[in-house]
Amino acid sequence: MAITPDGRPIPPPHAAERAMLETWLDFQRATLAGKVAGLDDRQVRLAAVPPSTMTLLGLVQHLAEVERNWHQRVFAGREVPPVYGQDNADGYGLDPARGMAGALADWNAEVDRGRELIAEEPLEAAGPLSPQAAAVLGADSVSLRWILVHLIEEYARHNGHADLLRECIDGVTGV
């Protein structure tokens, strides 16, 4: 597998659908990890694009929650609490006692758990939606294929946010 100069795995130009979806998702995950690499605790807590309160630490926490939601709650139909508690269900809230190392550990654990849950499942397998999500989507379930495409989109959007935050913090671009 080819890799970028910064170590991210490049998705293959030709592959089966499952491999293509999973490698693009892994590329987006690696991009997020690169965006937060080498920053100190003060830097990852900076809301560098006013008036937004979004931070790199908050993004990593949010994406841990996103992974938990789509893999455990939706696909596997499990009832699991938010990663960072009911008062921080979207993950964006910061706790002075929790830093990037802990957030990355939480995020990696959710990524690993998600991989385990979908490993042997076909792309057509479906997971149940909450009544609120079903009302929005007009269906009571979504396929694993839909979930993987949505996760790629979610990461790509938030990696754009991370691009701006990182550039405002220390000028680093291009990861």
Side-chain angles (χ1 to χ4, degrees):
M1 173 180 292
I3 58 171
T4 62
D6 58 21
R8 292 175 293 156
I10 299 173
H14 305 279
E17 182 181 18
R18 175 74 177 245
M20 188 68 73
L21 291 170
E22 288 180 345
T23 56
W24 271 107
L25 181 53
D26 285 342
F27 179 83
Q28 292 297 330
R29 288 169 173 153
T31 299
L32 177 69
K35 287 294 173 190
V36 302
L39 296 175
D40 64 33
D41 191 58
R42 181 191 62 79
Q43 290 171 311
V44 297
R45 294 172 180 278
L46 290 174
V49 187
S52 175
T53 60
M54 186 180 294
T55 66
L56 288 170
L57 177 56
L59 276 175
V60 171
Q61 293 177 169
H62 172 68
L63 286 162
E65 182 59 44
V66 166
E67 291 275 355
R68 177 174 282 193
N69 183 62
W70 289 104
H71 286 117
Q72 291 195 62
R73 290 189 195 107
V74 175
F75 187 71
R78 294 179 176 174
E79 290 188 31
V80 293
V83 178
Y84 298 102
Q86 288 294 41
D87 293 342
N88 191 12
D90 64 6
Y92 285 114
L94 304 183
D95 178 338
R98 187 174 46 248
M100 186 57 79
L104 286 170
D106 294 338
W107 174 66
N108 281 310
E110 292 302 327
V111 168
D112 290 345
R113 191 168 292 112
R115 284 186 177 126
E116 291 169 9
L117 289 170
I118 69 169
E120 303 299 321
E121 299 293 336
L123 292 174
E124 295 77 23
L129 290 169
S130 68
Q132 300 86 350
V136 171
L137 291 177
D140 61 359
S141 67
V142 291
S143 69
L144 177 56
R145 177 182 290 105
W146 190 98
I147 291 169
L148 292 172
V149 169
H150 176 69
L151 286 171
I152 293 165
E153 175 273 330
E154 180 98 6
Y155 273 94
R157 181 166 35 101
H158 288 314
N159 283 337
H161 298 134
D163 283 338
L164 294 172
L165 289 164
R166 180 67 189 248
E167 185 174 7
C168 287
I169 291 167
D170 67 358
V172 170
T173 61
V175 174

